[in-house]
Amino acid sequence: MSDRMDAALDLLNLPLFTILGEHVTVLEIFGFVTGALCVWAVSRQWIWNWPVGLVNNLAFLLLFLGAGLYADAGLQAVFFVLGVYGWIVWVRRRRGAAGASALVAPIQRAGRRDVVIAITATALGTVAVAWLLATETDSAVPWPDAFVLSASLVATWLQARKVLEHWWIWIAVDVVSVPLYAVKHLYLTAILYTGFLALCVYGLVGWRRDLRRQQTPAEPAVASAVTPA
């Protein structure tokens, strides 16, 4: 079993090409593809974004461990748990809204309580994780790594509840992540997060449009003018 595991890891870490002199591995490409599919599916409100995201979490867990991004690696494990939670919530809300045949669960807006929790959790989480990384690991980038972890957890929590404002948090995460991964020579991943940034803007615009449609009352059925015989 151990030999098979080592062989699988060797295959995943096989370099396929280089970007700016740095090798790009099979694992990083796999993370690129599954990550892009996941964010695109979220922007379209497709429920299969969750299982694709779970696969992506496993890929990035291995990738970030190898790059010394320990907070990001731990984040992927938590993402996996939240991904299962989000998948269940979307299925339940979809069925509760319009029966088992409904395509999507309804979108909602963040309330004052959501905003307070999001800001407080992100701030406290960033400080706590940055301190832990600075004192207990050899991380060279504790603060941005900690912010990405804390803000991403908050964004995933809001995403699982289909709160529109989760897109703004993902945008902030992507803005920080692009230079962070570039510094760690994960250039393909930095490019991926640049794409994530564009997809998040697309998702925000699309969800706003869908929310307006959702809030528009349905047109009443027009009564038939035919007089029964």
Side-chain angles (χ1 to χ4, degrees), residues 71 124-137 139 141-147 150:
L124 294 178
T126 299
V127 172
V129 174
W131 176 82
L132 183 65
L133 292 175
T135 58
E136 301 297 332
T137 75
S139 174
V141 284
W143 284 99
D145 202 7
F147 171 78
S150 301

Side-chain angles (χ1 to χ4, degrees), residues 57-156:
N57 298 150
L58 296 176
F60 276 122
L61 172 64
L62 296 175
L63 181 66
F64 291 148
L65 280 176
L69 293 170
Y70 305 116
D72 278 354
L75 176 62
Q76 299 306 312
V78 180
F79 271 170
F80 192 92
V81 176
L82 287 175
V84 174
Y85 164 74
W87 195 356
I88 294 172
V89 170
W90 277 38
V91 169
R92 286 180 175 175
R93 291 190 61 209
R94 180 182 67 179
R95 291 176 177 174
S101 62
L103 294 178
V104 295
I107 300 170
Q108 56 184 337
R109 298 299 303 267
R112 182 177 301 176
R113 177 174 175 271
D114 294 324
V115 173
V116 171
I117 292 175
I119 294 175
T120 303
T122 301
L124 294 178
T126 299
V127 172
V129 174
W131 176 82
L132 183 65
L133 292 175
T135 58
E136 301 297 332
T137 75
D138 60 352
S139 174
V141 284
W143 284 99
D145 202 7
F147 171 78
V148 168
L149 185 154
S150 301
S152 295
L153 290 178
V154 172
T156 304

